[in-house]
Amino acid sequence: KYWAGKTHDYTILKEELSPLLNWFKNLDVYLDLGYLGFAKDYCCKSIFMPSKSKKSSPLTEDQRHFNRQLSSQRVGIEHSIGGMKRYRIISDRIRAHNLDNHDSAMEACAGLWNFYLST
């Protein structure tokens, strides 16, 4: 399902994967700061989320190192999403009424990007 760009990521997650079910019970979950409040609503094995600095208390060196480790793992995922958006059918508006076309477009872009990476 496609969502409007103004919809928050955490709102989409709660709509798609209800907090009432144990979706993440035995999983390690890696999140960004767009999912604040996840630990309150979902139960999981462990959560890895970057630390946020405040004016009154800047990050310690350990917190900065941990944030760098998380971002280095996430950069590959972000590059893959950006690579799929290069085909523009994902980032542009699709004016088709058949929702199966949306899924097919996403699958085609993912397949093309994986093929590009394998060559």
Side-chain angles (χ1 to χ4, degrees):
K1 182 176 178 181
Y2 288 85
W3 294 80
K6 63 184 178 181
T7 309
H8 292 276
D9 294 341
Y10 189 52
T11 304
I12 296 171
L13 177 71
K14 288 192 289 188
E15 286 284 324
E16 294 292 324
L17 304 174
S18 172
L20 302 175
L21 302 173
N22 290 326
W23 293 98
F24 307 103
K25 184 178 180 179
N26 298 321
L27 299 175
D28 295 329
V29 180
Y30 291 82
L31 301 168
D32 61 12
L33 292 173
Y35 296 91
L36 290 173
F38 181 87
K40 179 182 68 166
D41 294 333
Y42 292 92
C43 87
C44 60
K45 189 173 168 184
S46 59
I47 297 175
F48 297 98
M49 187 179 290
S51 301
K52 192 173 179 178
S53 67
K54 299 174 186 165
K55 282 184 181 180
S56 59
S57 60
L59 294 177
T60 65
E61 192 59 39
D62 290 338
Q63 289 173 324
R64 294 176 70 163
H65 181 69
F66 180 72
N67 284 355
R68 271 193 219 106
Q69 285 179 332
L70 287 179
S71 65
S72 67
Q73 292 173 353
R74 186 163 172 80
V75 73
I77 297 166
E78 295 293 339
H79 286 174
S80 295
I81 293 169
M84 290 191 313
K85 286 183 178 180
R86 288 180 190 175
Y87 297 108
R88 293 197 48 195
I89 195 167
I90 295 173
S91 56
D92 290 349
R93 177 175 288 212
I94 300 176
R95 297 184 185 271
H97 295 289
N98 185 356
L99 294 179
D100 293 335
N101 292 342
H102 295 278
D103 291 335
S104 298
M106 183 65 84
E107 290 169 2
C109 290
L112 286 169
W113 184 247
N114 285 335
F115 178 72
Y116 173 79
L117 290 177
S118 68
T119 59

